[in-house]
Structures are given as structure tokens and as C-alpha cells.
Amino acid sequence: MEISFAGRRALVTGAGKGIGRDTVKALKAGGADVVAVSRTLEDLESLARECPGVKTVCVDLGDWSATEAALSSVGDIDLLVNNAGVALLQPFLEITQEMFDRSFDVNVRAAIVVSQIVARRMIERGVSGAIVNVSSQASQSALQNHAVYCATKGALDMLTKVMALELGPKKIRVNCVNPTVVMTAMGRANWTDPQEVATMLNRIPLGRFAEVEDVVHSILFLLSDQSAMITGTCLPVDGGYLVG
Ligand code: NAP
């Protein structure tokens, strides 16, 4: 299935590395005009060199007012991917306020503020739009040391459903993708123990972790008109992990 995004303008958060970076490239290849938002300037500079024409915005999305200021003049957006996220792991009994706040600020609150900015403008213009939030299988399945991360992704799933409910009548679809482990910088940092890797792989019926492109393909589907009647869904990209 060839999907064209010609004539559409997309914004991707967490675009410097991993899933976000490859989503930017895929949207650009599909003909979209793309705005890439991330935190580390060097990542954005190298992305702009690789993908000429991509507009970049450097901001810490955990900072609500800085995000509003940075995106105030971003212009019209038709497609939004709320992908920026952090996976800060602590055993439940050692969770700190700082780690809790940072996790919710980036994984949940940033999706709210960016979506507000983008959706308000979509509604003013009277256009239809699509938003995809990048959640995780961890929203629905408990993992050791992941209490706060799991809670942020559970919150993101429910946020997605309420956004779908409120924004549907305004012609804006909102869905999320829920990947299993992907060996990006985040995946590599958190899956270092061969025993834990083997245990996780054993619980995935398809017997492998997700590749970045598995996630990107699902994001593109949910952004595209191929999914025109789908909103409020959480799509596992997990090789069947959540059936167990
Ligand atoms: P990644 O390789 O660590 O990339 C994340 C990107 O988001 C980086 O460019 C990072 O920039 C950016 N980012 C993080 N915090 C930010 C902030 N406060 N402001 C602006 N940008 C920020 O991670 P990934 O694996 O691609 O993860 C992308 C999404 O997929 C996340 O929401 C994650 O929870 C989800 N996910 C990942 C996995 C996995 O196993 N990898 C599985 C399920 C779901 P800096 O590096 O400059 O901070």
C-alpha cells in the first residue's frame, strides 16, 4: 500500500533519534512538509542535513511555557506525532519526585500542550487532522522497575481516548501505537541484561523485538486516510506480547 502525504504538513516530537527520526524521514519521503521537534540541537542539525527542507525546532518539551513559545509560530499542521518520551526506571520503593515529575512532564503533559496548539489551529482552519501518540505495551502490562513509565503510558492511552472523544466531532482523529521493545537508544539503555532480554523475547509470540520501521509503518497508517474511520484506538506493535 503506497501512502502519499503530499500537500500535508506534519509535526513530529522527539525527532532527534530513534522512532521519531525515522518517522520524519518516512513522512518526508511520502511527500509531507515536516517540522521536527527535539531537545538536542546536534541531532536536529544532522537530521536537517540528511533531510533537506525539514524545519527544526529545538525545545525541551518537558517545559510547558517554553514549548508554547517555541511552537507559537510553527504554522498550520495537519498531522501530529507525539513521540517524545523518556524511560526512567526505578524500583517502586525508590521512586523519587524528580523522576516522577520528569516522566509525566515529557510522556504525558507534552502530548497535551503540543496537541492543544496543533488542534486549536486545525479547528480554526476547519480542516481534518490526525494525531498519533507513541505509547507502549507497558501501558497494559506490568514490568519490573517500570512503575512510573507504565503509569505514564497508561495515562497516554486514556488521554488518547478522551482526545478522540472530544476532537472527533471537529474532524480530528487521535490514536496511539503501543510498541514492544525496540532497540533504539532508549531500548539499548534499558535492555542490557541478557536474562531479561531472553525472558521478554520468550513472551513475544513472533519471537523478536520490533524494528523501528515496524513502528513507523503503523504510525503512517494511523496518520493516513487509509485509517479514516479509526479513532481512539491503541494499536499494539508487539508481535503478540499483549495476548498473553
Ligand atoms: P530514543 O531513541 O531515546 O529517542 C527519543 C527522542 O525523543 C530523542 O530524540 C530525545 O531527545 C527526544 N526527547 C526526549 N525527551 C524530550 C524532551 N523533553 N523534549 C524534546 N525531545 C525529547 O527513544 P525511542 O525508542 O525512539 O522512543 C520514542 C517513543 O517510543 C517514546 O515515547 C518511547 O516511550 C516509545 N517506546 C519506545 C520503546 C523502545 O523499546 N525503544 C518501546 C515502546 C515505546 P534527546 O535524546 O535529546 O533527549
Side-chain angles (χ1 to χ4, degrees):
M1 183 197 325
E2 200 57 44
I3 297 176
S4 170
F5 294 102
R8 314 302 304 276
R9 193 144 186 276
L11 187 151
V12 180
T13 73
K17 300 183 175 76
I19 294 165
R21 191 177 180 101
D22 278 16
T23 301
V24 169
K25 292 186 200 167
L27 282 165
K28 184 88 175 56
D33 194 16
V34 189
V35 181
V37 182
S38 207
R39 203 176 58 100
T40 301
L41 185 59
E42 299 81 69
D43 289 341
L44 290 171
E45 287 173 345
S46 71
L47 179 61
R49 279 194 299 275
E50 244 179 275
C51 283
V54 166
K55 179 183 159 69
T56 60
V57 177
C58 191
V59 67
D60 178 352
L61 293 159
D63 182 334
W64 181 293
S65 46
T67 301
E68 281 188 323
L71 296 182
S72 62
S73 56
V74 78
D76 298 342
I77 300 293
D78 307 294
L79 311 168
L80 168 63
V81 183
N82 286 309
N83 161 79
V86 288
L88 307 173
L89 310 189
Q90 285 175 339
F92 173 74
L93 293 175
E94 293 167 27
I95 292 169
T96 60
Q97 180 177 337
E98 188 191 23
M99 188 278 257
F100 177 93
D101 288 346
R102 183 70 185 157
S103 300
F104 270 87
D105 288 355
V106 178
N107 294 6
V108 185
R109 209 177 64 172
I112 294 176
V113 64
V114 177
S115 299
Q116 283 181 336
I117 294 165
V118 167
R120 284 182 188 134
R121 192 70 198 110
M122 286 172 177
I123 294 163
E124 276 169 19
R125 292 160 61 217
V127 298
S128 60
I131 299 175
V132 174
N133 296 326
V134 181
S135 181
S136 169
Q137 70 180 14
S139 70
Q140 295 167 54
S141 178
L143 279 172
Q144 293 285 343
N145 304 328
H146 281 65
V148 170
Y149 183 76
C150 287
T152 64
K153 295 302 187 180
L156 191 59
D157 283 5
M158 259 337 278
L159 177 68
T160 300
K161 290 172 199 268
V162 179
M163 286 171 66
L165 183 69
E166 294 191 15
L167 299 179
K170 315 283 188 195
K171 301 191 291 183
I172 302 169
R173 296 184 300 108
V174 189
N175 292 288
C176 60
V177 292
N178 297 60
T180 185
V181 176
V182 192
M183 283 301 176
T184 57
M186 178 188 288
R188 288 191 298 275
N190 287 326
W191 294 91
T192 50
D193 178 352
Q195 191 75 51
E196 285 178 14
V197 167
T199 305
M200 175 57 77
L201 281 170
N202 275 337
R203 291 179 58 183
I204 299 175
L206 291 184
R208 66 171 177 87
F209 291 152
E211 298 295 335
V212 170
E213 68 171 11
D214 294 320
V215 185
V216 172
H217 289 159
S218 301
I219 293 171
L220 296 189
F221 170 67
L222 290 172
L223 289 177
S224 78
D225 294 340
Q226 305 292 333
S227 61
M229 194 54 186
I230 301 177
T231 195
T233 196
C234 299
L235 177 64
V237 186
D238 67 344
Y241 174 87
L242 288 171
V243 301

